PDB file of all heavy atoms in Angstrom:
ATOM      1  N   ALA Z   1      -5.262 -10.566   7.897  1.00  0.00           N
ATOM      2  CA  ALA Z   1      -5.443 -11.987   8.211  1.00  0.00           C
ATOM      3  C   ALA Z   1      -6.551 -12.594   7.363  1.00  0.00           C
ATOM      4  O   ALA Z   1      -6.562 -13.782   7.092  1.00  0.00           O
ATOM      5  CB  ALA Z   1      -5.770 -12.153   9.691  1.00  0.00           C
ATOM      6  N   THR Z   2      -7.484 -11.758   6.935  1.00  0.00           N
ATOM      7  CA  THR Z   2      -8.628 -12.245   6.170  1.00  0.00           C
ATOM      8  C   THR Z   2      -8.256 -12.549   4.730  1.00  0.00           C
ATOM      9  O   THR Z   2      -7.344 -11.933   4.167  1.00  0.00           O
ATOM     10  CB  THR Z   2      -9.771 -11.196   6.178  1.00  0.00           C
ATOM     11  OG1 THR Z   2     -10.838 -11.684   5.379  1.00  0.00           O
ATOM     12  CG2 THR Z   2      -9.297  -9.862   5.609  1.00  0.00           C
ATOM     13  N   LYS Z   3      -8.922 -13.530   4.147  1.00  0.00           N
ATOM     14  CA  LYS Z   3      -8.730 -13.862   2.737  1.00  0.00           C
ATOM     15  C   LYS Z   3      -9.706 -13.104   1.853  1.00  0.00           C
ATOM     16  O   LYS Z   3      -9.637 -13.185   0.631  1.00  0.00           O
ATOM     17  CB  LYS Z   3      -8.891 -15.370   2.526  1.00  0.00           C
ATOM     18  CG  LYS Z   3      -7.810 -16.197   3.210  1.00  0.00           C
ATOM     19  CD  LYS Z   3      -7.992 -17.664   2.914  1.00  0.00           C
ATOM     20  CE  LYS Z   3      -6.907 -18.488   3.605  1.00  0.00           C
ATOM     21  NZ  LYS Z   3      -7.062 -19.947   3.349  1.00  0.00           N
ATOM     22  N   ASN Z   4     -10.610 -12.375   2.497  1.00  0.00           N
ATOM     23  CA  ASN Z   4     -11.599 -11.620   1.735  1.00  0.00           C
ATOM     24  C   ASN Z   4     -10.950 -10.411   1.068  1.00  0.00           C
ATOM     25  O   ASN Z   4      -9.906  -9.922   1.501  1.00  0.00           O
ATOM     26  CB  ASN Z   4     -12.733 -11.151   2.654  1.00  0.00           C
ATOM     27  CG  ASN Z   4     -13.481 -12.335   3.250  1.00  0.00           C
ATOM     28  OD1 ASN Z   4     -13.577 -13.393   2.644  1.00  0.00           O
ATOM     29  ND2 ASN Z   4     -14.009 -12.151   4.452  1.00  0.00           N
ATOM     30  N   HIS Z   5     -11.600  -9.941   0.015  1.00  0.00           N
ATOM     31  CA  HIS Z   5     -11.094  -8.763  -0.683  1.00  0.00           C
ATOM     32  C   HIS Z   5     -11.183  -7.537   0.222  1.00  0.00           C
ATOM     33  O   HIS Z   5     -12.184  -7.302   0.891  1.00  0.00           O
ATOM     34  CB  HIS Z   5     -11.916  -8.523  -1.956  1.00  0.00           C
ATOM     35  CG  HIS Z   5     -11.543  -7.266  -2.670  1.00  0.00           C
ATOM     36  ND1 HIS Z   5     -10.374  -7.162  -3.402  1.00  0.00           N
ATOM     37  CD2 HIS Z   5     -12.168  -6.059  -2.739  1.00  0.00           C
ATOM     38  CE1 HIS Z   5     -10.304  -5.937  -3.907  1.00  0.00           C
ATOM     39  NE2 HIS Z   5     -11.379  -5.258  -3.525  1.00  0.00           N
ATOM     40  N   LEU Z   6     -10.078  -6.754   0.250  1.00  0.00           N
ATOM     41  CA  LEU Z   6     -10.051  -5.535   1.050  1.00  0.00           C
ATOM     42  C   LEU Z   6      -9.986  -4.321   0.131  1.00  0.00           C
ATOM     43  O   LEU Z   6      -9.347  -4.354  -0.926  1.00  0.00           O
ATOM     44  CB  LEU Z   6      -8.838  -5.526   1.983  1.00  0.00           C
ATOM     45  CG  LEU Z   6      -8.838  -6.566   3.103  1.00  0.00           C
ATOM     46  CD1 LEU Z   6      -7.516  -6.530   3.853  1.00  0.00           C
ATOM     47  CD2 LEU Z   6      -9.991  -6.337   4.069  1.00  0.00           C
ATOM     48  N   GLU Z   7     -10.636  -3.257   0.538  1.00  0.00           N
ATOM     49  CA  GLU Z   7     -10.606  -2.024  -0.232  1.00  0.00           C
ATOM     50  C   GLU Z   7      -9.214  -1.400  -0.181  1.00  0.00           C
ATOM     51  O   GLU Z   7      -8.449  -1.629   0.756  1.00  0.00           O
ATOM     52  CB  GLU Z   7     -11.648  -1.036   0.304  1.00  0.00           C
ATOM     53  CG  GLU Z   7     -13.082  -1.505   0.124  1.00  0.00           C
ATOM     54  CD  GLU Z   7     -13.465  -1.677  -1.344  1.00  0.00           C
ATOM     55  OE1 GLU Z   7     -12.943  -0.916  -2.182  1.00  0.00           O
ATOM     56  OE2 GLU Z   7     -14.262  -2.583  -1.639  1.00  0.00           O
ATOM     57  N   PHE Z   8      -8.898  -0.606  -1.197  1.00  0.00           N
ATOM     58  CA  PHE Z   8      -7.595   0.052  -1.323  1.00  0.00           C
ATOM     59  C   PHE Z   8      -7.229   0.834  -0.062  1.00  0.00           C
ATOM     60  O   PHE Z   8      -6.109   0.744   0.445  1.00  0.00           O
ATOM     61  CB  PHE Z   8      -7.661   0.974  -2.548  1.00  0.00           C
ATOM     62  CG  PHE Z   8      -6.471   1.859  -2.702  1.00  0.00           C
ATOM     63  CD1 PHE Z   8      -5.230   1.323  -3.029  1.00  0.00           C
ATOM     64  CD2 PHE Z   8      -6.582   3.225  -2.530  1.00  0.00           C
ATOM     65  CE1 PHE Z   8      -4.133   2.144  -3.184  1.00  0.00           C
ATOM     66  CE2 PHE Z   8      -5.495   4.054  -2.686  1.00  0.00           C
ATOM     67  CZ  PHE Z   8      -4.262   3.514  -3.023  1.00  0.00           C
ATOM     68  N   ILE Z   9      -8.166   1.583   0.476  1.00  0.00           N
ATOM     69  CA  ILE Z   9      -7.902   2.400   1.668  1.00  0.00           C
ATOM     70  C   ILE Z   9      -7.598   1.517   2.870  1.00  0.00           C
ATOM     71  O   ILE Z   9      -6.720   1.812   3.676  1.00  0.00           O
ATOM     72  CB  ILE Z   9      -9.104   3.327   1.978  1.00  0.00           C
ATOM     73  CG1 ILE Z   9      -9.333   4.292   0.815  1.00  0.00           C
ATOM     74  CG2 ILE Z   9      -8.859   4.103   3.271  1.00  0.00           C
ATOM     75  CD1 ILE Z   9      -8.150   5.213   0.520  1.00  0.00           C
ATOM     76  N   GLU Z  10      -8.301   0.401   2.995  1.00  0.00           N
ATOM     77  CA  GLU Z  10      -8.079  -0.517   4.108  1.00  0.00           C
ATOM     78  C   GLU Z  10      -6.667  -1.100   4.064  1.00  0.00           C
ATOM     79  O   GLU Z  10      -5.994  -1.224   5.088  1.00  0.00           O
ATOM     80  CB  GLU Z  10      -9.105  -1.648   4.079  1.00  0.00           C
ATOM     81  CG  GLU Z  10     -10.523  -1.215   4.377  1.00  0.00           C
ATOM     82  CD  GLU Z  10     -11.487  -2.385   4.268  1.00  0.00           C
ATOM     83  OE1 GLU Z  10     -11.672  -2.910   3.161  1.00  0.00           O
ATOM     84  OE2 GLU Z  10     -12.053  -2.774   5.310  1.00  0.00           O
ATOM     85  N   LEU Z  11      -6.198  -1.450   2.877  1.00  0.00           N
ATOM     86  CA  LEU Z  11      -4.868  -2.048   2.729  1.00  0.00           C
ATOM     87  C   LEU Z  11      -3.775  -1.108   3.215  1.00  0.00           C
ATOM     88  O   LEU Z  11      -2.817  -1.527   3.860  1.00  0.00           O
ATOM     89  CB  LEU Z  11      -4.613  -2.397   1.263  1.00  0.00           C
ATOM     90  CG  LEU Z  11      -5.294  -3.640   0.706  1.00  0.00           C
ATOM     91  CD1 LEU Z  11      -4.932  -3.828  -0.755  1.00  0.00           C
ATOM     92  CD2 LEU Z  11      -4.880  -4.869   1.502  1.00  0.00           C
ATOM     93  N   SER Z  12      -3.896   0.160   2.895  1.00  0.00           N
ATOM     94  CA  SER Z  12      -2.853   1.131   3.239  1.00  0.00           C
ATOM     95  C   SER Z  12      -2.720   1.340   4.742  1.00  0.00           C
ATOM     96  O   SER Z  12      -1.739   1.913   5.206  1.00  0.00           O
ATOM     97  CB  SER Z  12      -3.139   2.478   2.557  1.00  0.00           C
ATOM     98  OG  SER Z  12      -4.377   3.009   3.012  1.00  0.00           O
ATOM     99  N   GLN Z  13      -3.692   0.846   5.520  1.00  0.00           N
ATOM    100  CA  GLN Z  13      -3.630   1.004   6.972  1.00  0.00           C
ATOM    101  C   GLN Z  13      -2.815  -0.110   7.646  1.00  0.00           C
ATOM    102  O   GLN Z  13      -2.496  -0.004   8.829  1.00  0.00           O
ATOM    103  CB  GLN Z  13      -5.049   1.036   7.545  1.00  0.00           C
ATOM    104  CG  GLN Z  13      -5.842   2.265   7.092  1.00  0.00           C
ATOM    105  CD  GLN Z  13      -7.295   2.212   7.523  1.00  0.00           C
ATOM    106  OE1 GLN Z  13      -7.752   1.225   8.094  1.00  0.00           O
ATOM    107  NE2 GLN Z  13      -8.030   3.280   7.253  1.00  0.00           N
ATOM    108  N   TYR Z  14      -2.492  -1.152   6.913  1.00  0.00           N
ATOM    109  CA  TYR Z  14      -1.666  -2.213   7.484  1.00  0.00           C
ATOM    110  C   TYR Z  14      -0.201  -1.800   7.452  1.00  0.00           C
ATOM    111  O   TYR Z  14       0.298  -1.290   6.443  1.00  0.00           O
ATOM    112  CB  TYR Z  14      -1.889  -3.520   6.719  1.00  0.00           C
ATOM    113  CG  TYR Z  14      -3.199  -4.163   7.074  1.00  0.00           C
ATOM    114  CD1 TYR Z  14      -4.352  -3.893   6.343  1.00  0.00           C
ATOM    115  CD2 TYR Z  14      -3.304  -5.031   8.160  1.00  0.00           C
ATOM    116  CE1 TYR Z  14      -5.571  -4.469   6.674  1.00  0.00           C
ATOM    117  CE2 TYR Z  14      -4.522  -5.611   8.501  1.00  0.00           C
ATOM    118  CZ  TYR Z  14      -5.646  -5.326   7.757  1.00  0.00           C
ATOM    119  OH  TYR Z  14      -6.848  -5.900   8.095  1.00  0.00           O
ATOM    120  N   HIS Z  15       0.496  -2.032   8.558  1.00  0.00           N
ATOM    121  CA  HIS Z  15       1.846  -1.501   8.721  1.00  0.00           C
ATOM    122  C   HIS Z  15       2.827  -2.019   7.675  1.00  0.00           C
ATOM    123  O   HIS Z  15       3.702  -1.277   7.226  1.00  0.00           O
ATOM    124  CB  HIS Z  15       2.353  -1.815  10.127  1.00  0.00           C
ATOM    125  CG  HIS Z  15       1.581  -1.102  11.196  1.00  0.00           C
ATOM    126  ND1 HIS Z  15       1.625  -1.459  12.519  1.00  0.00           N
ATOM    127  CD2 HIS Z  15       0.726  -0.046  11.122  1.00  0.00           C
ATOM    128  CE1 HIS Z  15       0.854  -0.665  13.222  1.00  0.00           C
ATOM    129  NE2 HIS Z  15       0.285   0.197  12.399  1.00  0.00           N
ATOM    130  N   ALA Z  16       2.721  -3.296   7.305  1.00  0.00           N
ATOM    131  CA  ALA Z  16       3.640  -3.847   6.312  1.00  0.00           C
ATOM    132  C   ALA Z  16       3.457  -3.138   4.969  1.00  0.00           C
ATOM    133  O   ALA Z  16       4.439  -2.752   4.317  1.00  0.00           O
ATOM    134  CB  ALA Z  16       3.415  -5.352   6.158  1.00  0.00           C
ATOM    135  N   VAL Z  17       2.213  -2.955   4.567  1.00  0.00           N
ATOM    136  CA  VAL Z  17       1.923  -2.264   3.306  1.00  0.00           C
ATOM    137  C   VAL Z  17       2.380  -0.815   3.388  1.00  0.00           C
ATOM    138  O   VAL Z  17       2.997  -0.293   2.452  1.00  0.00           O
ATOM    139  CB  VAL Z  17       0.418  -2.342   2.981  1.00  0.00           C
ATOM    140  CG1 VAL Z  17       0.096  -1.535   1.722  1.00  0.00           C
ATOM    141  CG2 VAL Z  17      -0.014  -3.796   2.811  1.00  0.00           C
ATOM    142  N   ALA Z  18       2.110  -0.167   4.519  1.00  0.00           N
ATOM    143  CA  ALA Z  18       2.488   1.245   4.685  1.00  0.00           C
ATOM    144  C   ALA Z  18       4.001   1.428   4.589  1.00  0.00           C
ATOM    145  O   ALA Z  18       4.487   2.373   3.948  1.00  0.00           O
ATOM    146  CB  ALA Z  18       1.979   1.757   6.031  1.00  0.00           C
ATOM    147  N   LEU Z  19       4.772   0.521   5.210  1.00  0.00           N
ATOM    148  CA  LEU Z  19       6.233   0.635   5.149  1.00  0.00           C
ATOM    149  C   LEU Z  19       6.726   0.433   3.722  1.00  0.00           C
ATOM    150  O   LEU Z  19       7.580   1.188   3.237  1.00  0.00           O
ATOM    151  CB  LEU Z  19       6.887  -0.385   6.079  1.00  0.00           C
ATOM    152  CG  LEU Z  19       8.425  -0.420   6.017  1.00  0.00           C
ATOM    153  CD1 LEU Z  19       9.010   0.901   6.496  1.00  0.00           C
ATOM    154  CD2 LEU Z  19       8.988  -1.575   6.826  1.00  0.00           C
ATOM    155  N   PHE Z  20       6.194  -0.576   3.042  1.00  0.00           N
ATOM    156  CA  PHE Z  20       6.631  -0.835   1.661  1.00  0.00           C
ATOM    157  C   PHE Z  20       6.351   0.371   0.772  1.00  0.00           C
ATOM    158  O   PHE Z  20       7.220   0.794  -0.007  1.00  0.00           O
ATOM    159  CB  PHE Z  20       5.926  -2.076   1.113  1.00  0.00           C
ATOM    160  CG  PHE Z  20       6.344  -2.421  -0.282  1.00  0.00           C
ATOM    161  CD1 PHE Z  20       7.491  -3.161  -0.511  1.00  0.00           C
ATOM    162  CD2 PHE Z  20       5.590  -2.008  -1.378  1.00  0.00           C
ATOM    163  CE1 PHE Z  20       7.898  -3.488  -1.802  1.00  0.00           C
ATOM    164  CE2 PHE Z  20       5.985  -2.322  -2.671  1.00  0.00           C
ATOM    165  CZ  PHE Z  20       7.135  -3.059  -2.887  1.00  0.00           C
ATOM    166  N   VAL Z  21       5.169   0.914   0.883  1.00  0.00           N
ATOM    167  CA  VAL Z  21       4.800   2.076   0.064  1.00  0.00           C
ATOM    168  C   VAL Z  21       5.686   3.270   0.403  1.00  0.00           C
ATOM    169  O   VAL Z  21       6.160   3.987  -0.489  1.00  0.00           O
ATOM    170  CB  VAL Z  21       3.310   2.425   0.276  1.00  0.00           C
ATOM    171  CG1 VAL Z  21       2.968   3.760  -0.378  1.00  0.00           C
ATOM    172  CG2 VAL Z  21       2.428   1.317  -0.284  1.00  0.00           C
ATOM    173  N   GLN Z  22       5.949   3.472   1.693  1.00  0.00           N
ATOM    174  CA  GLN Z  22       6.806   4.594   2.122  1.00  0.00           C
ATOM    175  C   GLN Z  22       8.209   4.457   1.540  1.00  0.00           C
ATOM    176  O   GLN Z  22       8.774   5.409   0.997  1.00  0.00           O
ATOM    177  CB  GLN Z  22       6.874   4.626   3.650  1.00  0.00           C
ATOM    178  CG  GLN Z  22       7.729   5.745   4.210  1.00  0.00           C
ATOM    179  CD  GLN Z  22       7.980   5.546   5.691  1.00  0.00           C
ATOM    180  OE1 GLN Z  22       8.756   4.670   6.090  1.00  0.00           O
ATOM    181  NE2 GLN Z  22       7.303   6.337   6.513  1.00  0.00           N
ATOM    182  N   ARG Z  23       8.815   3.262   1.648  1.00  0.00           N
ATOM    183  CA  ARG Z  23      10.175   3.065   1.157  1.00  0.00           C
ATOM    184  C   ARG Z  23      10.215   3.092  -0.368  1.00  0.00           C
ATOM    185  O   ARG Z  23      11.187   3.552  -0.969  1.00  0.00           O
ATOM    186  CB  ARG Z  23      10.748   1.740   1.674  1.00  0.00           C
ATOM    187  CG  ARG Z  23      10.817   1.638   3.186  1.00  0.00           C
ATOM    188  CD  ARG Z  23      11.405   2.874   3.837  1.00  0.00           C
ATOM    189  NE  ARG Z  23      12.746   3.157   3.333  1.00  0.00           N
ATOM    190  CZ  ARG Z  23      13.325   4.342   3.383  1.00  0.00           C
ATOM    191  NH1 ARG Z  23      12.648   5.382   3.882  1.00  0.00           N
ATOM    192  NH2 ARG Z  23      14.548   4.508   2.920  1.00  0.00           N
ATOM    193  N   ALA Z  24       9.170   2.573  -1.014  1.00  0.00           N
ATOM    194  CA  ALA Z  24       9.122   2.604  -2.480  1.00  0.00           C
ATOM    195  C   ALA Z  24       9.075   4.043  -2.982  1.00  0.00           C
ATOM    196  O   ALA Z  24       9.777   4.416  -3.930  1.00  0.00           O
ATOM    197  CB  ALA Z  24       7.911   1.826  -2.978  1.00  0.00           C
ATOM    198  N   SER Z  25       8.263   4.870  -2.321  1.00  0.00           N
ATOM    199  CA  SER Z  25       8.152   6.279  -2.715  1.00  0.00           C
ATOM    200  C   SER Z  25       9.451   7.034  -2.463  1.00  0.00           C
ATOM    201  O   SER Z  25       9.824   7.937  -3.222  1.00  0.00           O
ATOM    202  CB  SER Z  25       7.008   6.942  -1.941  1.00  0.00           C
ATOM    203  OG  SER Z  25       5.781   6.295  -2.211  1.00  0.00           O
ATOM    204  N   ALA Z  26      10.171   6.659  -1.388  1.00  0.00           N
ATOM    205  CA  ALA Z  26      11.432   7.325  -1.061  1.00  0.00           C
ATOM    206  C   ALA Z  26      12.516   6.984  -2.075  1.00  0.00           C
ATOM    207  O   ALA Z  26      13.357   7.836  -2.415  1.00  0.00           O
ATOM    208  CB  ALA Z  26      11.885   6.920   0.345  1.00  0.00           C
ATOM    209  N   SER Z  27      12.518   5.733  -2.569  1.00  0.00           N
ATOM    210  CA  SER Z  27      13.576   5.328  -3.495  1.00  0.00           C
ATOM    211  C   SER Z  27      13.229   5.668  -4.954  1.00  0.00           C
ATOM    212  O   SER Z  27      14.117   5.766  -5.800  1.00  0.00           O
ATOM    213  CB  SER Z  27      13.846   3.830  -3.370  1.00  0.00           C
ATOM    214  OG  SER Z  27      12.704   3.087  -3.747  1.00  0.00           O
ATOM    215  N   TYR Z  28      11.927   5.830  -5.227  1.00  0.00           N
ATOM    216  CA  TYR Z  28      11.495   6.126  -6.593  1.00  0.00           C
ATOM    217  C   TYR Z  28      10.302   7.073  -6.510  1.00  0.00           C
ATOM    218  O   TYR Z  28       9.172   6.667  -6.254  1.00  0.00           O
ATOM    219  CB  TYR Z  28      11.117   4.834  -7.317  1.00  0.00           C
ATOM    220  CG  TYR Z  28      10.713   5.007  -8.759  1.00  0.00           C
ATOM    221  CD1 TYR Z  28      11.505   5.729  -9.648  1.00  0.00           C
ATOM    222  CD2 TYR Z  28       9.534   4.421  -9.249  1.00  0.00           C
ATOM    223  CE1 TYR Z  28      11.136   5.876 -10.968  1.00  0.00           C
ATOM    224  CE2 TYR Z  28       9.159   4.556 -10.570  1.00  0.00           C
ATOM    225  CZ  TYR Z  28       9.961   5.286 -11.431  1.00  0.00           C
ATOM    226  OH  TYR Z  28       9.601   5.440 -12.744  1.00  0.00           O
ATOM    227  N   SER Z  29      10.569   8.355  -6.728  1.00  0.00           N
ATOM    228  CA  SER Z  29       9.562   9.401  -6.481  1.00  0.00           C
ATOM    229  C   SER Z  29       8.324   9.255  -7.369  1.00  0.00           C
ATOM    230  O   SER Z  29       7.250   9.751  -7.022  1.00  0.00           O
ATOM    231  CB  SER Z  29      10.184  10.790  -6.688  1.00  0.00           C
ATOM    232  OG  SER Z  29      10.665  10.912  -8.021  1.00  0.00           O
ATOM    233  N   ARG Z  30       8.443   8.539  -8.481  1.00  0.00           N
ATOM    234  CA  ARG Z  30       7.301   8.409  -9.393  1.00  0.00           C
ATOM    235  C   ARG Z  30       6.382   7.240  -9.000  1.00  0.00           C
ATOM    236  O   ARG Z  30       5.337   7.041  -9.616  1.00  0.00           O
ATOM    237  CB  ARG Z  30       7.815   8.204 -10.824  1.00  0.00           C
ATOM    238  CG  ARG Z  30       8.516   9.446 -11.378  1.00  0.00           C
ATOM    239  CD  ARG Z  30       9.197   9.167 -12.705  1.00  0.00           C
ATOM    240  NE  ARG Z  30       8.224   8.763 -13.730  1.00  0.00           N
ATOM    241  CZ  ARG Z  30       8.583   8.390 -14.961  1.00  0.00           C
ATOM    242  NH1 ARG Z  30       9.862   8.364 -15.306  1.00  0.00           N
ATOM    243  NH2 ARG Z  30       7.657   8.033 -15.829  1.00  0.00           N
ATOM    244  N   PHE Z  31       6.765   6.493  -7.989  1.00  0.00           N
ATOM    245  CA  PHE Z  31       5.913   5.376  -7.572  1.00  0.00           C
ATOM    246  C   PHE Z  31       4.655   5.886  -6.884  1.00  0.00           C
ATOM    247  O   PHE Z  31       4.700   6.779  -6.043  1.00  0.00           O
ATOM    248  CB  PHE Z  31       6.664   4.446  -6.615  1.00  0.00           C
ATOM    249  CG  PHE Z  31       5.775   3.377  -6.014  1.00  0.00           C
ATOM    250  CD1 PHE Z  31       5.408   2.268  -6.757  1.00  0.00           C
ATOM    251  CD2 PHE Z  31       5.265   3.515  -4.722  1.00  0.00           C
ATOM    252  CE1 PHE Z  31       4.564   1.300  -6.229  1.00  0.00           C
ATOM    253  CE2 PHE Z  31       4.425   2.548  -4.180  1.00  0.00           C
ATOM    254  CZ  PHE Z  31       4.078   1.437  -4.946  1.00  0.00           C
ATOM    255  N   GLU Z  32       3.529   5.294  -7.238  1.00  0.00           N
ATOM    256  CA  GLU Z  32       2.257   5.605  -6.590  1.00  0.00           C
ATOM    257  C   GLU Z  32       1.541   4.308  -6.240  1.00  0.00           C
ATOM    258  O   GLU Z  32       1.524   3.365  -7.032  1.00  0.00           O
ATOM    259  CB  GLU Z  32       1.364   6.445  -7.507  1.00  0.00           C
ATOM    260  CG  GLU Z  32       1.841   7.876  -7.703  1.00  0.00           C
ATOM    261  CD  GLU Z  32       0.857   8.685  -8.515  1.00  0.00           C
ATOM    262  OE1 GLU Z  32      -0.345   8.315  -8.534  1.00  0.00           O
ATOM    263  OE2 GLU Z  32       1.271   9.659  -9.156  1.00  0.00           O
ATOM    264  N   PHE Z  33       0.984   4.290  -5.057  1.00  0.00           N
ATOM    265  CA  PHE Z  33       0.186   3.146  -4.615  1.00  0.00           C
ATOM    266  C   PHE Z  33      -1.234   3.361  -5.102  1.00  0.00           C
ATOM    267  O   PHE Z  33      -1.906   4.313  -4.692  1.00  0.00           O
ATOM    268  CB  PHE Z  33       0.248   3.047  -3.089  1.00  0.00           C
ATOM    269  CG  PHE Z  33      -0.480   1.857  -2.519  1.00  0.00           C
ATOM    270  CD1 PHE Z  33      -0.334   0.599  -3.069  1.00  0.00           C
ATOM    271  CD2 PHE Z  33      -1.298   2.001  -1.402  1.00  0.00           C
ATOM    272  CE1 PHE Z  33      -0.994  -0.505  -2.540  1.00  0.00           C
ATOM    273  CE2 PHE Z  33      -1.951   0.911  -0.850  1.00  0.00           C
ATOM    274  CZ  PHE Z  33      -1.803  -0.348  -1.433  1.00  0.00           C
ATOM    275  N   THR Z  34      -1.701   2.522  -6.020  1.00  0.00           N
ATOM    276  CA  THR Z  34      -2.998   2.737  -6.663  1.00  0.00           C
ATOM    277  C   THR Z  34      -3.854   1.472  -6.581  1.00  0.00           C
ATOM    278  O   THR Z  34      -3.377   0.402  -6.194  1.00  0.00           O
ATOM    279  CB  THR Z  34      -2.804   3.096  -8.153  1.00  0.00           C
ATOM    280  OG1 THR Z  34      -2.240   1.955  -8.829  1.00  0.00           O
ATOM    281  CG2 THR Z  34      -1.869   4.288  -8.311  1.00  0.00           C
ATOM    282  N   THR Z  35      -5.085   1.614  -6.979  1.00  0.00           N
ATOM    283  CA  THR Z  35      -5.977   0.445  -7.015  1.00  0.00           C
ATOM    284  C   THR Z  35      -5.480  -0.591  -8.021  1.00  0.00           C
ATOM    285  O   THR Z  35      -5.747  -1.777  -7.885  1.00  0.00           O
ATOM    286  CB  THR Z  35      -7.407   0.870  -7.395  1.00  0.00           C
ATOM    287  OG1 THR Z  35      -7.360   1.616  -8.623  1.00  0.00           O
ATOM    288  CG2 THR Z  35      -8.022   1.744  -6.310  1.00  0.00           C
TER     289      THR Z  35
END
């Protein structure tokens, strides 16, 4: 909800981001969520 900058680790804890990363990794094994 915040407009402030969030750290990489903090972002991965949000469910929407976690689902996207999970599905991206499942469809393309070389995908990595990085800074």
Side-chain angles (χ1 to χ4, degrees):
T2 178
K3 294 182 180 179
N4 297 330
H5 175 74
L6 293 174
E7 295 298 328
F8 172 69
I9 298 299
E10 292 177 294
L11 283 180
S12 62
Q13 294 173 356
Y14 285 92
H15 294 164
V17 176
L19 176 64
F20 181 84
V21 170
Q22 180 192 73
R23 300 313 302 158
S25 300
S27 64
Y28 183 50
S29 60
R30 292 171 62 184
F31 173 77
E32 289 185 24
F33 183 46
T34 66
T35 54

